[in-house]
Amino acid sequence: MTGTAPAPFTADDYGARMERAARAAAESGLAGLLVAPGPDMVWLTGYAPTATTERLTLLVLAPGQDPVLVVPTLEAPDAAKAAGASVLSLRDWTDGKDPYAATAALLDSTGRFGISDNAWAMHLLGLQKALPGTSYASLTEALPMLRAVKDAAELELLAAAGAAADATFEEIRKVPFGGRRESEVAADLADLLRRFGHSQVDFTIVASGPNGANPHHEVGDRVMECGDMVVLDFGGLKDGYGSDTSRTVHVGEPTDEERRVHDLVREAQEAGFEAVRPGVACQEVDRAARAVIADAGYGAYFIHRTGHGIGVTTHEPPYMIEGEQQPLVPGMCFSVEPGIYLPGRFGVRIEDIVTVTEDGGRRLNDTTRELVIVD
């Protein structure tokens, strides 16, 4: 694939995100946010430490205060090079000093804070010891929609990642399947994702025959044969944003039942997509897809949620699942991926990434959803 490199996010972009996050914290009744290294920190500041160590690194965001990044002194030069560094203050600490005391000085001693889900327990316990009057909630619990609504630049990156995954599928359908191991085709998928611009491959599921009845099958050495249904699910990060798509192919001609089940999943996927529009609760997407499968008598074999959000990670809020009443908002991006899994026999899954528009939804994956026959 060719094309110009995407424009990098600027300090102003990161500043706006940090301001938005601090405002959202205040609206949720929090005294601030404590962001550990990981996807939230990358999204808010552009900073990704080269190595995650036991040394405390924490972004502190609070309403009415300038953002502060607490970093070990030996990491400060790298942190200062981050794209968002010019719109925050660095506060470094040296080995032998107490990083929790340094951080505590920035916090309301009786406040409730949102903290990254992936923060180390030792760091949270250290903060609680330094400030026993504080309390904490995970960011997923406190601000589940923090990164959910993408701006135009993010949507462009997600669309490009989706196009790269589509190009990968168009190539993989040309390779031999019969007589080859699942692991060999999985390696082909990883190579193709990288060829089409992915810097990180997160998963390459190749689930053939009875293995297809396990939605998260770990690729193995099973040799695929004529007559196998094969679930392909693959994705990763391209220019920092995720791809994730699933298609189901068949080695040789399928049986009438296999075609019928595949057609049913395709109809369910279409129903889920058609349910996408602003203001609709996330659970309605799940209900629409699930109803098609349940009405056909296969409800017990659709054993996972219909979708998950995607952005700087390949799985994040919002989730298309029963009980999730969060309304859809233009700019949200998530998968729509119903499936049917018949134990000991085969499975089928079809997945597109979808973004909410002003009046409906738009798919970011455009490869055929018909059953593809491979050699």
Side-chain angles (χ1 to χ4, degrees), residues 350-369:
I350 300 172
E351 173 185 14
D352 294 325
I353 298 303
V354 173
T355 183
V356 184
T357 64
E358 294 297 331
D359 57 2
R362 175 169 67 95
R363 284 184 167 102
L364 301 186
N365 296 106
D366 294 317
T367 55
T368 182
R369 294 164 200 92

Side-chain angles (χ1 to χ4, degrees), residues 6-89:
F9 293 114
T10 67
D12 287 344
D13 293 326
Y14 291 114
R17 290 176 184 177
M18 286 187 277
E19 182 179 348
R20 188 172 103 198
R23 186 168 58 250
E27 291 169 353
S28 297
L30 298 172
L33 302 180
L34 307 177
V35 183
D40 290 320
M41 182 173 286
V42 171
W43 184 76
L44 287 163
T45 70
Y47 179 49
T50 53
T52 302
T53 74
E54 73 282 0
R55 294 182 174 93
L56 178 71
T57 299
L58 206 62
L59 173 68
V60 179
L61 299 177
Q65 298 180 21
D66 292 336
V68 178
L69 182 61
V70 179
V71 294
T73 299
L74 75 169
E75 301 288 346
D78 287 337
K81 297 175 186 175
S86 64
V87 290
L88 54 76
S89 300

